[in-house]
Amino acid sequence: MVKDVAPKAGLPADFLWGFATAAYQIEGGATADGRRPSIWDTFCKIPGKIADGSSGDVACDSYHRMAQDIDLLNKTGAKAYRFSISWSRVIPLGGRKDTVNKAGLQHYVKFVDDLLEAGIVPMVTLFHWDLPDELYKRYGGFMNKDEFVADFANYARVMFEALPKVKHWITFNEPFCSAVLGYSVGQFAPGHTSNRNKSPIGDSSTEPWIVGHNILIAHATAVKIYREEFKPNNGGEIGITLNGDWVEPWDPNDGQDRIACERKLEFSICWFGDPVYFGKYPDSMVKQLGDRLPKFTEEESALVKGSNDFYGMNHYCANYIRHRNGPADPNDFAGNVDILLEDKSGKSIGPITQSPWLRPHAPGFRKLMKWLSDRYGRPKIYVTENGTSVKGENDLPKEEILEDEFRVEYFRTYVQAMAEAVAEDGCDCRGYMAWSLMDNFEWAEGYETRFGVTYVDYENGQHRYPKKSALELKNIFDQYIGKV
Ligand code: PNW
């Protein structure tokens, strides 16, 4: 008889954990000290695009509350904080010939200094979706490879120069979302899509692939600059953050659904991961997309290959995958599959949350980390986002919101799954940033969906109240850290 042995679980002694946010979601200060609009400021003004008609104009007002946010981090016991830079705060018009805004830049210099003084390690994302609007208007933003790559490279260099104390850099957050949600579905800025009920512009069959390609070149160009001009002196590390959810077959007895699962992972994760580790796109994508998928020149392939010092992993949930028969729709971006929340027998992958796409399924976290680790040769991994919304949270009285047992349970099971991936499967995971430090502007869902471990009272001066989950994470990590 085989005895059931509980899996080993543990994390290294120097494991870095903390919380993540993004500039447009928390900063507010939309016009403060010379900031100019990003594509999200503009997108929010279009009626119907944001669920509650809101915007990031004020958000959590973090631009004016740096000290409060650092206090909050200290209360949680966090060792690290991942935040992003608002490009149009630093270079209001965005381009390489446009002026740098000293006040905007100085804000981040001071914030990094203050974090370090508080003993918190900064992890900085250069780009979390808020492209300077001027660059979109000037030349089409991501769609113009030469201009976009040159302007991003210039912006990255400005930041590397200004923040030598930052040792962990992320170039792009979730390029999949910029490409697919911004240029295929049209749900995110700038809202391009072939669906003419939603937008007068866009071609979902071609634009997302061009956007993804150009972001990869911009990422790799910034990494080259960092490695050549800054890393020798500053000694930091740099990588890209990719989103990816786990997959289970809709019908486990159907071989085609099992193959479809692999294809779905390739279309969502390896679209970016394979170029970064292997210098080429996955065969499944080349096969389905043909000439619509841009080709890497030899030079580009060499530039992109090997452009990660670590793998930034954003992970939230899992889905059931059902294969589709017949040729793929030209606007398909998922690998000719249906993405479902219930399997063939009607079983849900996990409990419902406030986010229609998010149903927690912690075992998938361990499985995906192992899958990535195997495919990419056991890279160093930082989990750069993981977290959940809670069904109906926004409608509860404050006292009940603060008792967010559902979120606590999410973190318990997900951190356990990660600690098993490390101790049992040999994954090299070195850090974890929970999404998010506080409730914030949840993009097209506005403020109705809360992801924070801290309740933000938007009606009464953005006051912050830590929820139970804000204080529980330390206890959870204490169980695992140093046990491997
Ligand atoms: C991430 N989806 O994005 C982002 O990096 C965060 O800014 C965001 O607040 C967080 O997840 C929670 O949503 C995603 O629709 C946004 O599948 C949407 C999806 C996935 C990830």
Side-chain angles (χ1 to χ4, degrees):
M1 220 180 79
V2 187
K3 243 179 121 194
D4 251 346
V5 186
K8 281 184 284 178
L11 299 168
D14 57 353
F15 193 85
L16 215 53
W17 70 270
F19 299 89
T21 60
Y24 190 70
Q25 295 181 272
I26 66 161
E27 281 184 356
T31 57
D33 298 335
R35 182 184 178 276
R36 294 284 297 256
S38 73
I39 53 173
W40 269 94
D41 294 81
T42 306
F43 189 67
C44 289
K45 294 207 165 70
I46 306 172
K49 298 298 182 195
I50 311 300
D52 54 7
S54 66
S55 75
D57 275 359
V58 179
C60 309
D61 195 34
S62 284
Y63 184 70
H64 300 112
R65 291 163 197 252
M66 290 191 278
Q68 276 183 35
D69 288 353
I70 293 175
D71 280 350
L72 188 58
L73 284 161
N74 273 330
K75 276 203 193 97
T76 65
K79 297 183 185 177
Y81 181 46
R82 172 183 179 230
F83 64 96
S84 84
I85 310 279
S86 161
W87 182 346
S88 62
R89 219 182 260 300
V90 173
I91 307 174
L93 297 178
R96 57 203 182 279
K97 294 183 187 120
D98 300 317
T99 40
V100 172
N101 174 24
K102 292 229 172 62
L105 191 60
Q106 199 46 41
H107 167 80
Y108 295 109
V109 172
K110 176 159 170 40
F111 189 56
V112 166
D113 284 346
D114 292 353
L115 279 170
L116 288 168
E117 196 164 315
I120 297 163
V121 175
M123 183 178 270
V124 175
T125 311
L126 288 171
F127 186 84
H128 200 123
W129 305 350
D130 45 358
L131 181 79
D133 197 46
E134 172 65 18
L135 301 186
Y136 175 73
K137 297 211 167 86
R138 204 179 270 174
Y139 56 71
F142 311 117
M143 287 294 288
N144 187 323
K145 181 162 73 182
D146 292 346
E147 290 293 328
F148 176 67
V149 170
D151 283 345
F152 183 75
N154 171 71
Y155 160 59
R157 189 183 269 114
V158 167
M159 295 319 305
F160 297 151
E161 220 154 58
L163 304 177
K165 297 176 193 167
V166 171
K167 306 300 177 196
H168 310 277
W169 290 96
I170 292 159
T171 54
F172 286 86
N173 179 71
E174 304 190 348
F176 176 96
C177 290
S178 296
V180 167
L181 301 178
Y183 283 83
S184 178
V185 182
Q187 188 191 338
F188 280 11
H192 284 215
T193 175
S194 289
N195 179 349
R196 291 289 163 262
N197 295 323
K198 270 200 189 168
S199 165
I201 35 170
D203 179 348
S204 304
S205 74
T206 55
E207 289 185 354
W209 313 113
I210 298 167
V211 166
H213 192 80
N214 296 347
I215 290 180
L216 276 165
I217 308 296
H219 151 77
T221 303
V223 170
K224 185 173 190 303
I225 290 170
Y226 188 70
R227 287 178 177 167
E228 289 177 0
E229 300 173 27
F230 298 93
K231 195 169 175 150
N233 285 326
N234 302 351
E237 54 182 359
I238 185 163
I240 194 166
T241 277
L242 306 180
N243 53 303
D245 300 326
W246 181 242
V247 286
E248 292 288 347
W250 179 73
D251 176 357
N253 297 317
D254 186 335
Q256 295 218 62
D257 283 357
R258 293 200 301 271
I259 293 169
C261 281
E262 290 286 306
R263 203 162 60 240
K264 161 67 168 60
L265 290 176
E266 290 178 348
F267 268 74
S268 43
I269 300 176
C270 309
W271 172 10
F272 300 97
D274 280 15
V276 164
Y277 288 95
F278 309 141
K280 65 185 201 62
Y281 287 118
D283 291 343
S284 58
M285 295 185 72
V286 176
K287 188 168 163 214
Q288 181 178 315
L289 302 171
D291 288 342
R292 288 183 287 121
L293 187 66
K295 290 187 179 48
F296 288 109
T297 64
E298 253 176 63
E299 216 180 299
E300 286 176 351
S301 163
L303 176 74
V304 176
K305 187 177 175 178
S307 59
N308 250 5
D309 295 334
F310 59 84
Y311 182 103
M313 179 181 183
N314 282 6
H315 179 79
Y316 287 88
C317 56
N319 292 114
Y320 289 114
I321 301 301
R322 183 172 62 200
H323 75 278
R324 286 182 182 170
N325 292 310
D329 185 283
N331 294 338
D332 175 72
F333 54 80
N336 206 19
V337 303
D338 293 319
I339 301 171
L340 303 164
L341 300 167
E342 276 117 42
D343 72 1
K344 194 181 176 187
S345 70
K347 189 176 87 200
S348 174
I349 191 90
I352 56 171
T353 67
Q354 185 62 26
S355 313
W357 53 274
L358 199 173
R359 296 204 183 171
H361 181 77
F365 192 18
R366 174 175 168 187
K367 289 182 188 174
L368 182 61
M369 197 173 275
K370 166 94 164 74
W371 190 89
L372 289 172
S373 195
D374 288 346
R375 189 176 183 103
Y376 296 131
R378 201 173 172 266
K380 178 200 282 198
I381 296 173
Y382 289 115
V383 175
T384 42
E385 282 179 30
N386 177 243
T388 191
S389 57
V390 178
K391 182 77 189 158
E393 192 178 27
N394 193 45
D395 303 322
L396 297 173
K398 190 182 98 197
E399 302 68 51
E400 282 178 47
I401 292 182
L402 299 185
E403 293 297 317
D404 60 340
E405 190 52 40
F406 182 87
R407 187 174 283 107
V408 169
E409 186 59 18
Y410 178 96
F411 286 131
R412 272 194 203 117
T413 53
Y414 270 78
V415 173
Q416 163 83 19
M418 172 174 68
E420 288 172 8
V422 170
E424 194 73 39
D425 304 333
C427 297
D428 187 18
C429 181
R430 309 280 190 92
Y432 173 101
M433 304 297 134
W435 186 269
S436 176
L437 177 63
M438 60 192 125
D439 294 336
N440 57 49
F441 177 71
E442 178 55 12
W443 308 110
E445 292 179 37
Y447 294 95
E448 285 164 9
T449 303
R450 296 175 177 269
F451 267 88
V453 297
T454 304
Y455 172 68
V456 177
D457 187 349
Y458 301 112
E459 255 92 74
N460 297 293
Q462 271 60 28
H463 197 86
R464 288 124 163 84
Y465 301 88
K467 304 177 193 176
K468 186 176 179 198
S469 56
L471 308 169
E472 262 316 298
L473 263 169
K474 180 174 186 307
N475 299 331
I476 295 172
F477 277 104
D478 281 349
Q479 289 180 282
Y480 301 110
I481 290 181
K483 305 276 164 61
V484 73

